[in-house]
Amino acid sequence: YTNPSNAVGLGPRYDSWVSEDALAMADEMGQTRYDPDAAMAALDAAGYVDTDGDGVRNMPDGGNIEFKVQVVNGWTDWVTSVQIMSQNFQDIGLGAVVETPEFGAWLSNLQNAEYDVSIGWGTAGNTPYNYFRNLLLSELISDEGVANAELWHRWTSDEADALLSAFTETADAAEQQDIINQLQALYVENVPAIPLFPGPTWYEYTTY
């Protein structure tokens, strides 16, 4: 019922902001294609092979590569998506298992880094600033180590912080576009999270 996301995670409303250079970099890195053969070749080359014949690739110490993919219980569209993804992982020899906690536990797991893999969301706004801020700004990790907004992956950098600060300090449209382009390149290069598909923004209204 939706379309695959682009590699920078900017949905259709931000088409004019999308950096073609960042998309080209992502394509060169192989981020834009479903290619299980390439994935298996990369795992083989890295030495992650199935040494005991149980169908699951092994770590150098002999243990299986196993992880849980968490999704909120009852969110049926996301649960279905995660089931498909987990099967895709299994098809290349990775021991992925779907985990369905209730919402409160799911969010707590994300905020406190108590999860292996999870599906989540990004933030919309008038510009892509809000999206990148909530995914990259280091200040969103509290002194107690709680990851707020969508900084659940916990990847941060001084460069991203500086770019986000610079965006708020200028009203020049060309400068803002250049900053967003740099943020997209940083995002693609480091892959802090993997965009999956554009998410709807839900609302209710009445004509009365």
Side-chain angles (χ1 to χ4, degrees), residues 53-139:
D54 66 352
V56 180
R57 293 174 183 271
N58 298 99
M59 299 291 287
D61 64 3
N64 283 351
I65 300 179
E66 296 179 326
F67 53 89
K68 296 177 181 178
V69 186
Q70 75 159 12
V71 57
V72 175
N73 182 36
W75 291 8
T76 54
D77 52 347
W78 276 18
V79 171
T80 300
S81 298
V82 167
Q83 288 171 337
I84 293 170
M85 287 179 248
S86 295
Q87 183 60 58
N88 292 159
F89 283 131
Q90 293 169 23
D91 289 344
I92 61 173
L94 303 178
V97 178
V98 178
E99 183 179 48
T100 55
E102 298 300 319
F103 176 81
W106 169 87
L107 183 59
S108 177
N109 291 342
L110 285 169
Q111 292 179 320
N112 293 286
E114 296 174 349
Y115 70 99
D116 298 327
V117 179
S118 183
I119 189 172
W121 58 70
T123 296
N126 291 332
T127 72
Y129 168 79
N130 301 82
Y131 169 72
F132 286 114
R133 174 193 178 275
N134 283 15
L135 281 170
L136 300 176
L137 185 64
S138 65
E139 293 176 7

Side-chain angles (χ1 to χ4, degrees), residues 2 32 50 88 118 125 133 182 194:
T2 187
T32 58
D50 179 12
N88 292 159
S118 183
R133 174 193 178 275
Q182 292 181 65
I194 301 172

Side-chain angles (χ1 to χ4, degrees), residues 144-175:
E144 293 74 32
V146 176
N148 296 293
E150 288 87 61
L151 195 61
W152 302 316
H153 51 80
R154 296 167 179 264
W155 183 89
T156 61
S157 75
D158 292 341
E159 184 179 358
D161 286 347
L163 288 168
L164 290 165
S165 178
F167 187 95
T168 66
E169 295 168 2
T170 181
D172 184 274
E175 289 183 17

Side-chain angles (χ1 to χ4, degrees), residues 16-74:
S16 64
W17 290 87
V18 173
S19 166
E20 294 301 322
D21 288 342
L23 295 186
M25 183 193 309
D27 187 61
E28 184 177 348
M29 294 171 66
Q31 294 183 24
T32 58
R33 296 180 299 279
Y34 172 66
D35 192 341
D37 290 334
M40 288 189 287
L43 289 165
D44 289 343
Y48 298 111
V49 297
D50 179 12
T51 57
D52 53 16
D54 66 352
V56 180
R57 293 174 183 271
N58 298 99
M59 299 291 287
D61 64 3
N64 283 351
I65 300 179
E66 296 179 326
F67 53 89
K68 296 177 181 178
V69 186
Q70 75 159 12
V71 57
V72 175
N73 182 36

Side-chain angles (χ1 to χ4, degrees), residues 194-207:
I194 301 172
L196 297 171
F197 42 77
T201 300
W202 301 106
Y203 64 93
E204 296 179 0
Y205 73 97
T206 177
T207 57

